[in-house]
């Protein structure tokens, strides 16, 4: 059995995820962030075969004490399991102790979505309260809502991915699967207005050369806007400085899916638009729409128990 250090195994596994499994840059970066939880607890020079179940459980307990969310802890556990499975397959370890790690039980929450009034209010915030870069931020909101894109997909979207007139684009989803997403008139107009401003601010970033930036969305220094940057923008405009109804980029995706189903789209079609590999991921939105329809029924039906 070849003896390998924890650090070497992590580095090799990240390369494997990117080059063999075809995981996106954002996914590989997320795995790397999860593995940083080893820092200060298990040295990178430690032999991977000597990392014990007790140490792994101690890491999970430490994350819990630091008030990490259940989702973050479960993601770390999944990353560790993937790493150790890879090491077992390559015979760097004889026993996969990570299989004994138990994921945490999470309450089943319905996806958080916005009403039409709420999404309209949030999309109009950049014009009403120019907190950052109004034209860019409005385009970002309109495109998130119109397409149902994941935030990572929009961050990776390039100028060359669009069809003529910006009516649709090809995005790279999970598992390196491509799909078309679509943009209605408000999104297209907001995008074109933003690109005009971007051309004035950073003319060199739209011209072929060293300063060229292929990504559609850029930060205020002219570099590609990251997913973290997009999340910050949504927080700014939906927080106390804006609508005071905190949202995330994913809220736009939930709202898109809910609106499509409420307006009669077939669930298989919505699955395709969202890039879900399984229909089960899409079906949870049917629960949301059922709840919404029940609210509408209770408010509107004359015999719903309201006082005359």
């Amino acid at each position: 059995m070849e003896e390998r250090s924890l650090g070497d195994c992590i580095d090799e596994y990240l390369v494997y995820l990117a080059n063999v499994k075809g995981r996106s840059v954002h996914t590989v970066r997320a795995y790397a962030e999860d593995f940083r939880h080893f820092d200060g607890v298990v040295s990178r020079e430690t032999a991977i075969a000597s990392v014990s179940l007790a140490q792994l459980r101690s890491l999970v307990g430490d994350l819990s004490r630091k008030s990490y969310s259940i989702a973050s802890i479960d993601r770390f556990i999944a990353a560790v399991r993937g790493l150790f499975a890879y090491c077992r397959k390559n015979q760097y370890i004889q026993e996969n102790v990570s299989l004994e790690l138990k994921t945490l039980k999470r309450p089943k929450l319905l996806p958080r979505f916005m009403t039409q009034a709420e999404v309209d209010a949030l999309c109009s915030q950049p014009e009403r309260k120019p907190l950052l870069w109004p034209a860019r931020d409005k385009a970002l909101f309109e495109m998130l809502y119109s397409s149902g894109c994941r935030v990572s997909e929009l961050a990776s979207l390039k100028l060359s991915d669009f069809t003529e007139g910006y009516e649709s684009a090809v995005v790279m989803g999970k598992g390196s699967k491509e799909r078309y997403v679509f943009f209605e008139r408000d999104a297209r107009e907001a995008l074109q207005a933003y690109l005009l401003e971007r051309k004035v601010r950073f003319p060199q970033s739209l011209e072929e050369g060293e300063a060229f930036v292929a990504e559609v969305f850029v930060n205020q220094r002219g570099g590609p806007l990251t997913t973290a940057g997009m999340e910050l923008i949504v927080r700014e405009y939906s927080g106390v400085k804006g609508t005071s109804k905190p949202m995330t980029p994913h809220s736009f995706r939930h709202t898109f899916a809910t609106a499509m189903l409420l307006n009669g789209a077939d669930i298989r079609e919505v699955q395709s638009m969202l890039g879900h590999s399984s229909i089960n991921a899409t079906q949870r939105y049917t629960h949301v729409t059922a709840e919404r329809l029940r609210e509408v029924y209770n408010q509107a039906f004359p015999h719903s128990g309201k006082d005359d």
Side-chain angles (χ1 to χ4, degrees):
M1 184 179 71
E2 182 180 357
E3 185 169 298
R4 302 293 299 274
S5 71
L6 172 64
D8 286 343
C9 289
I10 287 174
D11 293 340
E12 185 178 313
Y13 181 55
L14 293 175
V15 172
Y16 167 78
L17 289 175
N19 298 337
V20 179
K21 300 297 288 184
R23 298 292 186 258
S24 70
V25 173
H26 301 288
T27 298
V28 174
R29 189 178 297 139
Y31 272 87
E33 288 295 326
D34 285 329
F35 292 139
R36 287 196 180 95
H37 292 310
F38 280 108
D39 295 349
V41 179
V42 183
S43 170
R44 284 178 58 91
E45 284 69 44
T46 301
I48 187 73
S50 68
V51 177
S52 67
L53 176 61
Q55 287 176 308
L56 296 180
R57 283 175 171 165
S58 177
L59 277 163
V60 172
D62 189 48
L63 293 178
S64 181
R65 285 189 293 275
K66 290 178 179 177
S67 299
Y68 277 81
S69 69
I70 292 175
S72 295
I73 296 173
D74 280 350
R75 191 182 69 187
F76 169 72
I77 292 172
V80 170
R81 283 177 174 173
L83 172 66
F84 274 70
Y86 173 83
C87 291
R88 180 71 185 89
K89 180 180 179 181
N90 287 280
Q91 298 185 339
Y92 299 155
I93 56 177
Q94 289 184 329
E95 181 185 6
N96 185 351
V97 295
S98 73
L99 293 175
E100 296 297 319
L101 287 177
K102 304 297 183 184
T103 54
L104 306 183
K105 289 185 177 180
R106 286 183 275 177
K108 292 185 177 180
L109 301 175
L110 292 176
R112 186 174 188 182
F113 72 101
M114 293 176 271
T115 64
Q116 189 60 56
E118 287 172 339
V119 76
D120 288 345
L122 186 48
C123 286
S124 68
Q125 281 300 299
E127 296 171 307
R128 297 175 58 195
K129 299 177 181 178
L131 301 175
L132 300 168
W133 182 351
R136 178 202 61 187
D137 303 339
K138 181 173 177 60
L140 174 63
F141 294 170
E142 293 286 1
M143 291 177 71
L144 280 169
Y145 178 47
S146 176
S147 65
C149 277
R150 299 178 178 93
V151 64
S152 59
E153 294 167 349
L154 209 58
S156 301
L157 188 65
K158 295 177 173 56
L159 295 164
S160 59
D161 292 331
F162 286 98
T163 57
E164 187 176 354
Y166 303 107
E167 291 186 356
S168 62
V170 177
V171 298
M172 183 71 73
K174 289 185 175 180
S176 298
K177 295 179 181 178
E178 291 185 342
R179 74 179 190 281
Y180 273 99
V181 294
F182 304 93
F183 304 101
E184 48 75 53
R185 186 181 63 186
D186 288 345
R188 296 196 303 270
E189 290 178 352
L191 173 63
Q192 289 169 320
Y194 154 64
L195 289 178
L196 285 174
E197 282 199 16
R198 173 180 163 173
K199 188 174 183 179
V200 173
R201 285 196 185 197
F202 307 108
Q204 72 281 4
S205 76
L206 291 170
E207 299 172 0
E208 295 292 346
E210 289 185 8
F212 177 70
V213 178
E215 286 80 6
V216 174
F217 287 100
V218 297
N219 57 37
Q220 304 213 43
R221 296 183 300 278
L225 185 63
T226 64
T227 56
M230 291 183 174
E231 289 165 357
L232 183 147
I233 291 168
V234 176
R235 285 201 305 271
E236 281 290 300
Y237 286 102
S238 65
V240 293
K241 297 177 183 177
T243 61
S244 294
K245 292 185 177 180
M247 296 291 168
T248 68
H250 222 62
S251 300
F252 286 96
R253 182 169 163 87
H254 295 328
T255 304
F256 166 85
T258 305
M260 293 298 293
L261 289 170
L262 278 173
N263 286 288
D266 181 80
I267 190 170
R268 289 288 180 183
E269 295 169 343
V270 176
Q271 177 190 2
S272 179
M273 291 179 200
L274 293 172
H276 284 158
S277 58
S278 168
I279 192 68
N280 294 332
T282 316
Q283 283 178 328
R284 61 181 178 161
Y285 293 105
T286 63
H287 299 298
V288 175
T289 56
E291 289 292 325
R292 176 63 181 153
L293 289 173
R294 186 177 292 108
E295 290 178 11
V296 172
Y297 175 85
N298 289 336
Q299 291 172 4
F301 191 67
H303 301 295
S304 60
K306 297 179 180 178
D307 293 333
D308 293 333

